[in-house]
Amino acid sequence: MNIGLVLEGGAMRGLFTAGVCDELMERNISFPCVIGVSAGALFGCNLKSKQPGRVLRYNTRFCRDSRYSSIWSLLKTGDLYNYEFCYKTLINELDIFDRETYNSTPMTFIAVATNVATGEAEYHDCKYADEEMLTWLRASGAMPLAARPVEIGNNTYVDGGISDSIPIKKMEELGYKKNVIVLTQPANYVKEKNKLLPLLKVVLRKYPRLIETIEARHIAYNATLDYIREQEKKGNAFVIRPSEKLDVGMRERNPDKLRKIHAQGRALMASRIDELKAFLETDSLSK
């Protein structure tokens, strides 16, 4: 199958994506290439490790745990989601990430991050579940004001959603002309200019190109949505999106809300499974 999977970010709206992914995994539907942005990367990596239910499990278990996420962590470390707990204790001890399965699964998994110096997106092929992969996942989800920029080699990165929120064109560049796209906003959503831009200009004043990218993000995002709609009409894109705005906060502490959002994603995917299978079959029919 030469059809890719693109996963948008959206903080805890990513539980919707996790619901979609869990339904796909339990029905043994996989993709040769997956690109995840921010929460799409942090949660989507469980597709390659083949761990349905894991994202919902650890988020509902720890959403009220100050070790996982807290204002104190933000003030003390610069990270709203605590690095030591999330990227060490959690994945190695409390809800183990299956590195062995990840490494042996023949799926290309790409995480997107934004280079602060250039303001442009960079795409990293996370071949192995090692410290480098975890660092790229951190970078992909490093939202300014909520997380420290992440240093990788000689470069510094922040949230991939700033520069390429829905990397459909990158997937096409890789040769995947037909794609399944999971969005976390409803069909009528239109992104507006960032209301925190004045503050971000102060905090990120050392990175003028990054600020330029943030200033134009809403324009680029809405243009990408228009492009996706065109691809839908042409039969090149199969899009899963919530039917209405998801009622969930960036740092959601109500596990019932997380379960509800996850259930919405799962139910929607289940209701459209025959459509999806038909879309996937068009790839084999075109060969």
Side-chain angles (χ1 to χ4, degrees), residues 234-271:
K234 293 178 180 179
N236 295 329
F238 182 93
V239 183
I240 295 288
R241 52 168 72 86
S243 58
E244 59 186 9
K245 183 178 179 180
L246 297 172
D247 180 24
V248 65
M250 184 184 78
R251 178 177 166 254
E252 184 57 64
R253 295 175 62 82
N254 185 339
D256 289 334
K257 280 192 175 184
L258 297 177
R259 292 186 188 97
K260 180 180 178 181
I261 299 302
H262 180 272
Q264 285 179 258
R266 180 185 281 279
L268 183 57
M269 186 68 267
S271 71

Side-chain angles (χ1 to χ4, degrees), residues 7-45:
L7 306 178
E8 183 184 16
M12 284 303 157
R13 295 198 308 274
L15 265 294
F16 174 86
T17 302
V20 172
C21 291
D22 285 350
E23 192 69 24
L24 292 172
M25 282 189 276
E26 291 181 3
R27 293 176 182 268
N28 294 314
I29 297 174
S30 62
F31 297 82
C33 185
V34 179
I35 292 184
V37 182
S38 197
L42 289 163
F43 297 166
C45 62

Side-chain angles (χ1 to χ4, degrees), residues 26-274:
E26 291 181 3
R27 293 176 182 268
N28 294 314
I29 297 174
S30 62
F31 297 82
C33 185
V34 179
I35 292 184
V37 182
S38 197
L42 289 163
F43 297 166
C45 62
N46 292 276
L47 283 164
K48 188 168 165 62
S49 66
K50 298 183 179 181
Q51 291 179 278
R54 182 174 178 271
V55 173
L56 178 64
R57 187 172 59 242
Y58 74 73
N59 274 288
T60 52
R61 180 181 175 187
F62 297 112
C63 64
R64 291 177 175 171
D65 193 322
S66 61
R67 295 175 300 168
Y68 183 49
S69 170
S70 69
I71 299 301
W72 173 245
S73 175
L74 179 62
L75 294 174
K76 185 178 180 181
T77 70
D79 294 322
L80 182 63
Y81 286 85
N82 187 269
Y83 164 70
E84 289 291 330
F85 184 80
C86 294
Y87 294 94
K88 293 185 178 181
T89 305
L90 174 59
I91 67 172
N92 294 324
E93 301 174 21
L94 301 177
D95 201 320
I96 297 173
F97 183 71
D98 190 344
R99 297 173 188 245
E100 183 176 348
T101 297
Y102 183 98
N103 294 341
S104 63
T105 299
M107 170 192 289
T108 298
F109 186 81
I110 299 172
V112 185
T114 303
N115 186 312
V116 299
T118 66
E120 297 179 357
E122 293 188 17
Y123 310 86
H124 182 73
D125 183 355
C126 300
K127 294 181 180 180
Y128 305 106
D130 52 18
E131 291 307 308
E132 182 182 33
M133 181 203 79
L134 292 176
T135 304
W136 276 97
L137 292 183
R138 282 180 56 215
S140 185
M143 295 179 287
L145 304 182
R148 291 171 290 172
V150 176
E151 294 184 4
I152 304 176
N154 296 322
N155 297 310
T156 304
Y157 299 89
V158 291
D159 194 325
I162 292 172
S163 53
D164 196 355
S165 299
I166 315 168
I168 174 62
K169 291 187 178 180
K170 180 61 179 180
M171 188 67 99
E172 291 175 346
E173 288 178 15
L174 294 173
Y176 297 89
K177 302 305 181 184
K178 291 191 174 184
N179 293 283
V180 175
I181 306 169
V182 183
L183 303 179
T184 58
Q185 296 283 12
N188 62 354
Y189 177 74
V190 178
K191 182 174 283 296
E192 298 179 355
K193 196 166 188 175
N194 195 321
K195 295 179 181 179
L196 296 176
L197 187 58
L199 178 58
L200 288 167
K201 284 184 174 180
V202 174
V203 174
L204 302 172
R205 59 188 176 277
K206 294 190 296 183
Y207 311 116
R209 291 187 180 178
L210 177 62
I211 292 173
E212 289 175 4
T213 301
I214 294 173
E215 284 184 302
R217 184 188 177 194
H218 63 296
I219 299 172
Y221 183 93
N222 293 329
T224 300
L225 288 182
D226 288 339
Y227 181 75
I228 288 172
R229 293 186 189 101
E230 291 175 7
Q231 296 309 304
E232 277 189 282
K233 291 178 182 178
K234 293 178 180 179
N236 295 329
F238 182 93
V239 183
I240 295 288
R241 52 168 72 86
S243 58
E244 59 186 9
K245 183 178 179 180
L246 297 172
D247 180 24
V248 65
M250 184 184 78
R251 178 177 166 254
E252 184 57 64
R253 295 175 62 82
N254 185 339
D256 289 334
K257 280 192 175 184
L258 297 177
R259 292 186 188 97
K260 180 180 178 181
I261 299 302
H262 180 272
Q264 285 179 258
R266 180 185 281 279
L268 183 57
M269 186 68 267
S271 71
R272 298 189 61 194
I273 200 68
D274 290 337

